[in-house]
Amino acid sequence: MQNTSQVVARNLHLFDKSSLLIVGMPDDDLLSQIEYTQAFTWDYSVYSTLTRGGYKNVSWGAELDSDAVFKQVLLFMPKSKSELDLLFAMVSSRMDVGAELFLVGAKKEGINSAAKKLVSVGEHPEKIDMARHCQLWSVIKSVESAPFNLDDWLEEYEISAGDDKLTAVSIPGVFSHGRLDDATALLLDNLGRIPSGRVLDFGCGCGVLGAMIAKRNPEAMVEMVDINALSLYCAEKTLSRNQLKGQVYPSNGLQDVTGRFNGVFTNPPFHSGVKTNYSITETFIKTLPEHMTKNAPLRLVANSFLKYSALIDAALERFDIVTENTKFRVYKAFR
Ligand SMILES: C[S@@+](CC[C@H](N)C(=O)[O-])C[C@H]1O[C@@H](n2cnc3c(N)ncnc32)[C@H](O)[C@@H]1O
C-alpha cells in the first residue's frame, strides 16, 4: 500500500462506516480495509484498476455523479496543488455543517501548505497523525458552502499558431491551466501536414492540439484521449467553444484506443504527481506502430533531456528532429 494509504489504514477507527466519501485514492488495496459509501477519482487508470479489482461504488468522471451528502469525506492530496481549492469546494458542497473532512498527503507533495487551506472549510484543522513522511488532517465543516458548479471554475485563453486562432478552455489541475505550454506552442508551430481521416491527440489535456488539428484540416476526424476526467471535460469545451468536432474519450496509454490512425500528435506525459515517469510515454511509443496506418506521421514534442530519440527511431521509420530550442524538441517519424 502507498504511504498515504498506510496512514489512513492505521486510523480506521476514525471513519464513519455509514457515510464516507473517499476522493482521489491511489489504486492500492486500501479499499479492502476501509468501509466506505462511495469512492471517486478523476484518474481513469486508478478507476480501471479498482473496478477490475472488484471494488464496488467506485466512480470516475469530471464530477461526482449523485447529489448525496456525506457525514465524512476523506480526501487524498491531488497531484497538483492547484486542484485543491476546486476539490475543497466540490467536496464541501457534499457535506453539511458539522460533517468532517480528512486530508491525507505526503510532505513532499506539500501536505503542510495544503492543510493550511482547510480553514476554507472549517475553523480549527487538526493534525491527527503523521507517519511514513505523510500527514493526516481533519477539520469539522463550519463554513457554509455555496452550491458547486464545475463550470464556474473554467477559464479561457487565446492561442494562435500561424494564421489560426483558437480559444482554449481549462480548469485548475489540467495541464497548462490558464496558459499555453511552451512545448505545446513549439509543436503547434510545427504540426506539418495534417492527414485526413482518423488523427489522434494523445494526452490531450484541455485539447489545444486536437482542436488546432481539427481547425487546420476539417477532413481530419480527431480523437482526443487522456487519463484525467477534467482534461477530457475541458477538451470537449475547447472543441465546442471553437465550433469544432472531435471524439473525446478516456484511455490509459493506448489501451483503450482501437484501430489505426492516419496521424498521431502529442505532447506526452512524463510526470505522475511529483515523480518523473517515463514509462507511460515509453510504452506509448513502443505500441504506436500497432495504431498507425502505413506512412502515417507522428509528431511528438518533449523536453530535450528526455531520451526518446532511440525509442522513436526503433519503433518507426524516417525518424528526424523537426526543430529544437534550448528546452524542447519536436520529433517526427512515420510508420
Ligand atoms: C504534457 S500534458 C499535454 C497536454 C496537452 N496535449 C497540451 O499539450 O497542453 C500530458 C497529458 O497526458 C495525460 N496523461 C498522463 N498519463 C496518461 C496516460 N497514462 N494515458 C493517457 N494520458 C495520460 C495528462 O493528464 C496530461 O493531460
Side-chain angles (χ1 to χ4, degrees):
M1 263 199 298
Q2 296 210 356
N3 288 347
T4 45
S5 294
Q6 292 184 39
V7 176
V8 171
R10 57 189 235 159
N11 287 284
L12 289 179
H13 60 281
L14 298 174
F15 298 104
D16 184 328
K17 299 180 178 105
S18 68
S19 181
L20 174 65
L21 167 68
I22 304 181
V23 174
M25 60 283 163
D27 58 358
D28 56 22
D29 57 3
L30 174 69
L31 295 190
S32 66
Q33 302 198 11
I34 188 167
E35 286 186 56
Y36 61 95
T37 318
Q38 199 189 338
F40 171 80
T41 177
W42 284 324
D43 186 318
Y44 191 67
S45 155
V46 170
Y47 168 76
S48 308
T49 306
L50 292 176
T51 47
R52 261 199 317 272
Y55 294 107
K56 300 278 181 262
N57 301 322
V58 179
S59 60
W60 171 86
E63 284 190 87
L64 284 158
D65 54 4
S66 79
D67 292 332
V69 172
F70 300 87
K71 289 188 194 151
Q72 288 186 336
V73 176
L74 166 61
L75 189 59
F76 283 77
M77 269 278 293
K79 286 179 180 168
S80 104
K81 265 189 270 170
S82 57
E83 283 163 67
L84 260 182
D85 292 333
L86 192 168
L87 266 172
F88 283 165
M90 185 178 94
V91 299
S92 54
S93 73
R94 302 312 182 90
M95 299 163 62
D96 291 327
V97 167
E100 187 169 18
L101 174 63
F102 294 93
L103 178 69
V104 65
K107 282 190 209 146
K108 63 173 187 257
E109 289 166 354
I111 181 71
N112 270 313
S113 56
K116 293 200 181 97
K117 292 187 166 212
L118 284 171
V119 288
S120 66
V121 178
E123 279 151 33
H124 303 292
E126 248 187 280
K127 196 193 289 173
I128 309 264
D129 194 10
M130 51 196 285
R132 309 196 187 288
H133 312 290
C134 297
Q135 297 175 3
L136 177 64
W137 286 75
S138 145
V139 70
I140 302 294
K141 174 167 166 170
S142 61
V143 180
E144 276 291 353
S145 44
F148 178 76
N149 182 356
L150 192 58
D151 287 352
D152 292 344
W153 295 77
L154 295 173
E155 274 179 32
E156 293 189 352
Y157 57 94
E158 303 303 315
I159 56 172
S160 58
D163 294 336
D164 295 313
K165 294 195 183 345
L166 281 178
T167 303
V169 184
S170 74
I171 208 161
V174 166
F175 179 81
S176 79
H177 171 52
R179 65 173 280 278
L180 181 63
D181 173 66
D182 292 341
T184 309
L186 191 66
L187 179 53
L188 281 176
D189 285 334
N190 292 280
L191 284 177
R193 187 186 68 83
I194 309 288
S196 299
R198 287 183 82 195
V199 175
L200 180 66
D201 172 2
F202 172 70
C204 62
C206 71
V208 285
L209 285 173
M212 191 60 86
I213 289 164
K215 179 150 197 167
R216 287 259 169 96
N217 182 1
E219 303 288 306
M221 287 148 50
V222 182
E223 295 182 32
M224 295 149 89
V225 300
D226 203 287
I227 209 170
N228 180 291
L230 286 179
S231 296
L232 298 170
Y233 187 74
C234 292
E236 298 259 19
K237 298 271 176 195
T238 297
L239 283 175
S240 59
R241 177 71 178 73
N242 297 283
Q243 288 98 42
L244 295 167
K245 285 205 170 62
Q247 232 187 300
V248 179
Y249 55 92
S251 180
N252 180 12
L254 293 173
Q255 281 174 31
D256 305 278
V257 160
T258 54
R260 292 179 186 269
F261 293 86
N262 292 342
V264 177
F265 295 81
T266 183
N267 175 2
F270 65 94
H271 277 131
S272 286
V274 290
K275 287 195 213 115
T276 305
N277 182 339
Y278 307 105
S279 64
I280 300 163
T281 298
E282 285 176 7
T283 310
F284 161 76
I285 293 170
K286 284 182 191 153
T287 50
L288 254 179
E290 295 160 35
H291 291 282
M292 294 170 77
T293 54
K294 195 151 175 51
N295 292 319
L298 162 73
R299 293 249 169 167
L300 180 152
V301 68
N303 279 61
S304 308
F305 68 81
L306 296 169
K307 308 272 179 263
Y308 293 145
S309 304
L311 272 173
I312 300 173
D313 199 13
L316 296 167
E317 309 287 322
R318 291 185 276 150
F319 166 80
D320 204 357
I321 293 171
V322 180
T323 186
E324 62 186 315
N325 59 27
T326 48
K327 284 188 172 162
F328 308 109
R329 257 183 214 160
V330 176
Y331 302 100
K332 74 171 174 184
F334 300 83
R335 163 142 188 280

